[in-house]
Amino acid sequence: MGHQQIMDPRPNRLPSFIEVLDRKTKPPVDLFSFYIYMRDQQRSVDYLDFWLDVSQHTHLCRHFVSELRRSILVETPDLEKTTSKRSSYVLDHFGENNDASGPSTEPHNDEKLKDQTVSAYLRQDNNGSNHSPQSSLGSRRSASAMRYGERPPRPSFMSRNSPTGSESSSPGGRVVARADIRASAEKILYTYILPGAEREVTLPHGILQDITVAIEEEGRDDPEVFDMAKDYTFQAMERDAFPGFLRAKVFGNIVPPSRFLRLVLGLIAFFAGMWAAFVLIFLDKPKHIRCWLILPFTIGVYSLASHQYHMDPLLALAGLSEYTFCNFSRIEEPYVRKMMMRRATMVLFITVSIGVALICLFIFVPGHRL
């Protein structure tokens, strides 16, 4: 199912940021390529890691509530479930589709409601006795005490390609305990949020304060704790990093170290060709000897054009894109491949035109021995 969603074509447009995070795209505009871009070029991969970790935390919370609901449905008699006020409304109405939907441009209302329900249940569970799929499945909770949050969290990217449903297994293949959710929230807090944290991300002071108070003082660990921070980092990456990522991967297929290498190689080859051309002219060498100028001028012009246009046209025509230095992946995204082929043809035409002009000039110009 997830594979079919990834295969959905976008013949006439580039992918959106949500589609990249949702892993609906193919190389070179997939989530892995964006991660490498954030790490190697933007130097701000901590923001992406924070977003992914919060999404994983949301997935963990959904799985916990889903497992708890399944346990109650299995071990609680139908009569008691239908007549008892102590059965939780949240667990009875968590939804038959337990797949944690990933981000989409138009999230469904039931997905928003599901995330609100998870957070509401976890807040109630945190105020009462600890409850997990392994503990006291007959414990009963009041539905009237439950209330939905004011703001639904952004859906997680984890879902559509992850095992889901009541039979899905948690990370590590074990049942999720309540303590695991608390540990996950604290790990995010201590890794990204607190001042001086190992991978501290820059967030507005108000958001930092709200998260710190919610976790350390109120004891909360539901997904809505990180809502504002997750939205903020999403918008920051979409505004500041994603346009550059598209430019780098749609209009180019080489990384900065390769560009620099081509610049150095192109300058050396071009100036070597110019030096050899003038030497052969002023020594009045015959034209068949001057034909050797084809080699340095071709290498020089091709390398300089690759640097200038951020693209190796021959690699692009072969359907390859570089994601790290000297490591290549196939260009599989249909619209990106079409644009890349068009641009590669243009760059190759410019390269050949300049190279032919220079070679003809220095081969056929009359020689004059000094």
Side-chain angles (χ1 to χ4, degrees):
M1 177 107 178
H3 182 67
Q4 290 178 343
Q5 289 172 341
I6 294 178
M7 294 296 291
D8 288 342
R10 276 174 303 277
N12 297 315
R13 67 175 178 86
L14 294 173
S16 66
F17 186 44
I18 286 236
E19 289 171 332
V20 172
L21 292 179
D22 199 20
R23 299 190 292 188
K24 291 181 178 179
T25 55
K26 303 177 185 179
V29 289
D30 57 334
L31 181 57
F32 174 75
S33 298
F34 182 66
Y35 189 94
I36 297 297
Y37 174 82
M38 291 289 287
R39 185 193 68 185
D40 295 346
Q41 298 187 41
Q42 287 288 314
R43 309 289 183 185
S44 55
V45 73
D46 290 345
Y47 288 88
L48 181 57
D49 276 331
F50 170 74
W51 196 94
L52 296 178
D53 283 352
V54 172
S55 297
Q56 176 65 25
H57 177 72
T58 302
H59 181 71
L60 197 69
C61 294
R62 289 172 177 172
H63 183 82
F64 171 79
V65 176
S66 173
E67 280 292 311
L68 185 56
R69 175 182 180 275
R70 186 185 67 169
S71 300
I72 289 181
L73 290 178
V74 169
E75 299 195 16
T76 303
D78 290 340
L79 180 61
E80 182 180 357
K81 286 198 303 178
T82 54
T83 59
S84 174
K85 296 293 184 181
R86 301 175 188 176
S87 295
S88 171
Y89 175 86
V90 172
L91 298 178
D92 289 345
H93 293 80
F94 184 64
E96 300 337 271
N97 289 329
N98 290 322
D99 61 312
S101 296
S104 62
T105 52
E106 297 179 358
H108 298 296
N109 290 332
D110 58 341
E111 294 172 356
K112 294 181 181 180
L113 183 61
K114 185 186 299 183
D115 286 337
Q116 289 178 325
T117 302
V118 170
S119 294
Y121 172 76
L122 291 175
R123 286 197 298 271
Q124 184 200 31
D125 182 68
N126 193 52
N127 293 330
S129 60
N130 289 335
H131 195 110
S132 69
Q134 301 99 318
S135 67
S136 180
L137 297 175
S139 68
R140 303 175 179 183
R141 304 178 183 277
S142 170
S144 61
M146 304 198 64
R147 52 187 171 86
Y148 295 129
E150 298 177 357
R151 184 182 61 257
R154 184 178 302 279
S156 167
F157 90 101
M158 299 286 300
S159 54
R160 294 199 174 112
N161 298 329
S162 303
T164 53
S166 61
E167 296 299 324
S168 65
S169 59
S170 64
R174 61 186 179 85
V175 176
V176 178
R178 190 66 175 83
D180 295 330
I181 297 177
R182 180 68 187 176
S184 173
E186 290 180 344
K187 179 182 177 183
I188 294 174
L189 175 69
Y190 298 141
T191 304
Y192 301 103
I193 304 298
L194 293 180
E198 177 186 358
R199 305 178 64 185
E200 181 182 1
V201 296
T202 303
L203 296 171
H205 180 72
I207 296 179
L208 296 177
Q209 280 294 110
D210 290 345
I211 295 176
T212 303
V213 169
I215 295 178
E216 294 194 328
E217 297 182 14
E218 299 175 6
R220 289 179 56 187
D221 50 22
D222 56 276
E224 287 186 350
V225 169
F226 302 105
D227 246 9
M228 291 296 293
K230 189 179 181 185
D231 285 342
Y232 181 87
T233 55
F234 177 90
Q235 293 167 10
M237 290 188 293
E238 186 178 40
R239 180 185 65 248
D240 300 332
F242 189 61
F245 169 71
L246 286 182
R247 283 194 298 271
K249 297 302 179 181
V250 175
F251 300 110
N253 67 338
I254 54 177
V255 296
S258 290
R259 287 187 60 217
F260 180 75
L261 180 63
R262 282 165 169 78
L263 175 63
V264 173
L265 179 61
L267 290 175
I268 292 174
F270 185 80
F271 284 112
M274 294 291 290
W275 175 82
F278 282 108
V279 168
L280 294 177
I281 289 173
F282 291 127
L283 290 179
D284 196 17
K285 295 296 182 179
K287 292 181 177 57
H288 70 275
I289 294 181
R290 294 193 207 176
C291 286
W292 285 103
L293 295 174
I294 294 175
L295 183 61
F297 278 130
T298 299
I299 296 175
V301 173
Y302 184 86
S303 299
L304 291 175
S306 297
H307 171 268
Q308 180 65 28
Y309 289 98
H310 300 207
M311 170 179 286
D312 188 310
L314 293 182
L315 287 177
L317 292 175
L320 296 176
S321 179
E322 189 177 37
Y323 60 92
T324 58
F325 185 65
C326 292
N327 291 303
F328 301 92
S329 62
R330 302 291 303 179
I331 303 174
E332 299 180 13
E333 187 69 26
Y335 188 64
V336 173
R337 183 169 60 242
K338 182 168 65 174
M339 293 186 65
M340 192 82 75
M341 295 300 174
R342 195 176 302 165
R343 184 172 171 84
T345 303
M346 180 199 72
V347 173
L348 197 58
F349 175 78
I350 294 174
T351 301
V352 171
S353 300
I354 296 175
V356 169
L358 288 172
I359 291 168
C360 290
L361 173 65
F362 287 106
I363 288 180
F364 294 106
V365 68
H368 179 73
R369 189 175 184 86
L370 295 178

